[in-house]
Amino acid sequence: RIADMAPVPFPPAPRSTYRPAGGPVNDDALPLLVGGATITADTEVPELDASGVLFAFGDHVSGFACWVDQGRLRAALSIAGDVVEVAAPSPFRPGPVVAGIALTPGDGGGGCRLELVTGAGREVVASTPHEHTLPISFQHGGASLTIGYDRGFPVSPSYDVHAAWPGPILEVVVDTPAGTVPHREDLVDGALTAD
């Protein structure tokens, strides 16, 4: 129940940075994603047809993943087992890149959007809607953010959970709007659709 939720004693900052050497990041160490978030990896594309997981969180029940397939940025978002996917229109060229996803809440009518973003300005290069609102918690009992690989069940069957990203990842940045409080209706809808 929303009224009985216990806040984390030392919550993460709205903009939090994670590095791959630390291992999986428990969701308690991530900012709340229910109000929306931009999650990007600062990495290097080693070759034209590079493939592998940039980052992943959760699994096919509820979670998101961002990966590169034959040079093209792709992502999947699962909420309550309903999965949507999006792919960039063109492949990356080898070299440094900032790439990831934006989880954008709906405009009051419910739902949300999964967007692919690239570059320092987080330019949206592809987008798709999702019928569910962003959940308060993607999975009961917690989930972990993995950087440069995935483990367990994939968010989508479109990528290989064992395909590690072949390039270096300097960091993954999670940006959430400071002080954003979702509408009560969105919180209730999110709670009802969480696993």
Side-chain angles (χ1 to χ4, degrees), residues 28-154:
D28 286 342
L30 296 171
L32 285 177
L33 306 176
V34 65
T38 302
I39 304 148
T40 54
D42 186 347
T43 186
E44 186 170 329
V45 178
E47 57 193 15
L48 195 58
D49 293 335
S51 296
V53 177
L54 293 176
F55 56 83
F57 179 79
D59 58 28
H60 63 282
V61 174
S62 219
F64 53 83
C66 184
W67 70 96
V68 178
D69 182 21
Q70 298 296 304
R72 282 181 58 191
L73 184 65
R74 298 187 61 178
L77 171 64
S78 175
I79 302 174
D82 292 329
V83 180
V84 297
E85 294 187 24
V86 65
S90 56
F92 287 127
R93 292 189 175 128
V97 68
V98 174
I101 64 171
L103 304 173
T104 307
D107 56 2
C112 64
R113 295 195 71 74
L114 170 63
E115 300 170 328
L116 290 177
V117 296
T118 61
R122 287 21 177 204
E123 176 189 349
V124 176
V125 295
S127 179
T128 190
H130 198 296
E131 67 177 311
H132 296 296
T133 58
L134 292 169
I136 298 168
S137 173
F138 273 83
Q139 295 195 355
H140 295 298
S144 294
L145 175 72
T146 55
I147 299 173
Y149 68 99
D150 197 1
R151 62 184 186 172
F153 295 112

Side-chain angles (χ1 to χ4, degrees), residues 155-176:
V155 175
S156 159
S158 296
Y159 71 96
D160 179 2
V161 75
H162 302 293
W165 177 241
I169 296 179
L170 301 178
E171 62 186 21
V172 168
V173 176
V174 179
D175 263 317
T176 59

